[in-house]
Amino acid sequence: MDRFDPDLVFFEPQALEYPLGKQLYAHFEKVGTPIKMTTSHNRVTGIPGDTDAKKYRNAKRTLVVGLRKTMEFDTSKPSAEYAIPLATGCAGHCHYCYLQTTLSSKPYVRVYVNLDEILERAASYIEERNPEVTRFEAACTGDPVSFEHLTGALKRYIEYMGEQPNGRLRFVTKFNNIDSLLDAKHNGHTRIRFSINTAYVIRNFEPATSGFEERIEAAGKVAEAGYPLGFIIAPIIIYEGWQDDYKELIIRLHERIGHLVIPELEFELIQHRFTKVAKNTIEKRYPKSKLDMNEENRQMKWGRYGRFKYVYKKDDAAEMQKMLRELIGHYFPSAEVAYFV
Ligand code: SF4
């Protein structure tokens, strides 16, 4: 899936007092998407489905249009100072997605229409830290790109930060719905990162996101538009033929963007990990998943959030890291590998 067009939309009444709320309402009326009202996103009811699995799938195809009420931004260390609200949730179905556990009971996508108020708050955070630069991450609570054609919110944020001498934006995506961002006046103040993986991993574990070639092509367009660019290769997974596939990934990237001058090109490398809670949820939600979560192939690591997680055994992780660092060093000698975890 390249972009998300919902099957059902809920509106909070207050959203209709904002231009973006009105615009979205008119759009969905025009294209014939069923519209319902809800007093609050917490009270969304009536998502169809006679089993939990069907309800979950339908909820992922549902959009809730509302207001961001809390104007305190969460922190987003170490890669940014703050998480800037833009939306919550994602229509993708990545088996290992962190939203499986954090948004389990509310998997629908929520977008906010009070963007001016959010940007005003961002301005006050920038002001507080002057003359230091303040970085905002827009993808902490979901992927912000698949519905950009509906809201235009990212473009607003990008152009706003482009005008802020000390404001920076960053986000990560698995979607290629970025054409409307290519002419944004970003002024080099927004770093777009693509979450990429082998064709096998994307095909088997990342349903309802953009494909392997689509993401690489989108990254090429973003680089040509002069954005600071980065890649998150995650989760790195061991399966039969994985070494060849990761090599193919780096070579394909090189074919598409190797000839471009990309300032501060950066790679982040994250091996697959899971917790017991996540494993249970994934097995329930995607019972046919081929994702290997056999604890015997893993070692335990104490996680930041007070839970043990299972990562690859030391030798496997070392091989993974060495191989990818060498490939990146060979094909992208001026790029930096920010970390491997
Ligand atoms: S694209 Fe990102 S946020 Fe969306 S389901 Fe996949 S991992 Fe989760």
Side-chain angles (χ1 to χ4, degrees):
M1 184 174 76
D2 299 339
R3 57 183 232 176
F4 169 51
D5 289 294
D7 295 339
L8 173 64
V9 187
F10 288 85
F11 278 84
E12 294 174 3
Q14 272 180 299
L16 298 176
E17 294 165 17
Y18 289 77
L20 179 56
K22 287 186 188 135
Q23 176 197 314
L24 287 169
Y25 195 94
H27 167 78
F28 290 120
E29 236 182 2
K30 189 167 160 221
V31 299
T33 309
I35 297 175
K36 293 187 178 186
M37 300 304 290
T38 179
T39 48
S40 154
H41 80 92
N42 281 318
R43 304 215 177 84
V44 163
T45 53
I47 291 178
D50 49 12
T51 62
D52 282 352
K54 281 188 197 152
K55 267 206 177 99
Y56 180 76
R57 291 198 91 76
N58 288 332
K60 281 260 185 188
R61 302 278 319 153
T62 299
L63 182 73
V64 180
V65 180
L67 260 60
R68 171 71 180 197
K69 305 224 168 68
T70 326
M71 281 296 161
E72 289 308 305
F73 294 3
D74 287 333
T75 54
S76 181
K77 300 274 177 177
S79 59
E81 277 67 43
Y82 294 104
I84 188 166
L86 183 146
T88 304
C90 176
H93 272 279
C94 305
H95 296 181
Y96 35 66
C97 176
Y98 61 107
L99 301 176
Q100 304 278 6
T101 35
T102 57
L103 283 186
S104 212
S105 60
K106 300 183 192 109
Y108 41 77
V109 179
R110 281 171 65 201
V111 294
Y112 307 122
V113 296
N114 52 338
L115 304 181
D116 287 337
E117 291 159 21
I118 293 168
L119 289 174
E120 264 169 42
R121 186 67 182 110
S124 70
Y125 282 119
I126 294 172
E127 185 58 36
E128 274 169 24
R129 284 176 45 84
N130 256 342
E132 299 283 317
V133 163
T134 303
R135 296 164 303 169
F136 297 90
E137 169 64 59
C140 282
T141 51
D143 192 308
V145 170
S146 69
F147 42 80
E148 176 63 13
H149 61 292
L150 297 171
T151 64
L154 268 177
K155 190 170 190 180
R156 283 277 298 284
Y157 284 16
I158 288 169
E159 295 200 327
Y160 182 84
M161 290 301 168
E163 289 169 357
Q164 308 304 312
N166 291 328
R168 299 289 182 275
L169 185 70
R170 51 194 282 134
F171 61 89
V172 59
T173 184
K174 287 187 170 73
F175 290 89
N176 68 343
N177 188 25
I178 45 84
D179 285 358
S180 63
L181 307 180
L182 299 177
D183 66 351
K185 295 175 195 70
H186 58 78
N187 202 17
H189 287 188
T190 293
R191 176 178 287 276
I192 300 183
R193 286 123 77 224
F194 282 90
S195 170
I196 50 170
N197 220 311
T198 65
Y200 173 91
V201 169
I202 293 176
R203 204 171 48 242
N204 285 288
F205 308 125
E206 300 183 349
T209 63
S210 296
F212 177 81
E213 289 295 340
E214 284 78 25
R215 285 189 217 173
I216 290 174
E217 179 53 26
K221 289 182 187 172
V222 159
E224 282 157 1
Y227 280 96
L229 177 65
F231 294 101
I232 301 187
I233 305 183
I236 306 163
I237 294 181
I238 292 181
Y239 57 90
E240 205 184 327
W242 67 282
Q243 292 105 325
D244 288 345
D245 285 1
Y246 281 99
K247 187 171 181 193
E248 186 206 350
L249 167 65
I250 302 297
I251 290 173
R252 273 297 295 122
L253 266 188
H254 180 256
E255 282 167 2
R256 181 61 184 86
I257 64 167
H259 61 289
L260 301 170
V261 179
I262 303 173
E264 297 168 46
L265 178 62
E266 198 178 79
F267 287 81
E268 298 160 72
L269 309 177
I270 305 174
Q271 60 168 307
H272 180 241
R273 73 260 333 275
F274 60 89
T275 60
K276 276 211 180 299
V277 176
K279 180 177 174 177
N280 288 340
T281 312
I282 293 165
E283 284 176 342
K284 243 186 272 155
R285 218 154 255 164
Y286 304 104
K288 293 189 188 136
S289 179
K290 291 189 212 161
L291 193 59
D292 175 21
M293 291 182 289
N294 182 350
E295 289 86 349
E296 282 175 15
N297 299 334
R298 303 294 181 109
Q299 70 180 41
M300 282 162 95
K301 189 175 170 186
W302 182 243
R304 241 196 315 168
Y305 300 106
R307 279 200 186 113
F308 276 109
K309 56 193 171 188
Y310 292 90
V311 295
Y312 281 104
K313 289 191 173 154
K314 211 167 142 212
D315 289 351
D316 288 337
E319 184 188 354
M320 220 177 238
Q321 170 161 212
K322 182 168 178 286
M323 183 188 78
L324 279 161
R325 281 187 186 274
E326 280 174 6
L327 281 169
I328 292 165
H330 179 75
Y331 287 98
F332 296 98
S334 58
E336 195 198 330
V337 175
Y339 58 81
F340 170 89
V341 287

